[in-house]
Amino acid sequence: MTTFLALLKAFLVGGILCAIGQVFIDYTKLTPARILTAYVVIGVVLGGIGLYPKLIEFAGAGASVPLFGFGSALAKGVREAVAEKGLLGVLTGGFTACAAGIAAALVFSLIAALVGKPKEKS
């Protein structure tokens, strides 16, 4: 597969997922927080039944970066931890699988807060 084709697939799939979220924001009374939560839950369900990993294989970062990908990573981590540790893996698998991403988000948020200048809404 050429690099251009991989980029095009990632752009199209990621764009479609984001466009769907924008449609929900613009045309429903759902809050952004509920839409984001729904994206993670849908990612967990699709990852749990094995459909979302196929989309990640097809679209790469276009499918793994949005919140659906986070949910899919949680499901994968739980599945692997349950296979390795049994029932205790249900509680620890998601944390283990997503710890690096969550830590990076916290560090970059802290840096942005230290560098940025907050403004009051008017």
Side-chain angles (χ1 to χ4, degrees), residues 31-70:
T31 63
R34 288 183 184 204
I35 295 167
L36 296 174
T37 303
Y39 266 37
V40 173
V41 170
I42 291 168
V44 167
V45 171
L46 293 176
I49 60 176
L51 293 178
Y52 206 75
K54 293 176 184 174
L55 184 62
I56 291 174
E57 185 178 321
F58 171 77
S64 64
V65 172
L67 287 172
F68 289 107
F70 178 71

Side-chain angles (χ1 to χ4, degrees), residues 4-16 58-63:
F4 177 75
L5 186 58
L7 292 173
L8 183 63
K9 286 179 182 179
F11 176 78
L12 290 175
V13 171
I16 289 169
F58 171 77

Side-chain angles (χ1 to χ4, degrees), residues 65-116:
V65 172
L67 287 172
F68 289 107
F70 178 71
S72 178
L74 286 172
K76 180 181 177 186
V78 169
R79 194 175 331 113
E80 291 173 357
V82 166
E84 184 179 311
K85 300 177 185 174
L87 191 58
L88 183 62
V90 172
L91 302 173
T92 62
F95 292 118
T96 305
C98 297
I102 293 170
L106 289 171
V107 169
F108 290 127
S109 298
L110 176 64
I111 292 170
L114 294 174
V115 172

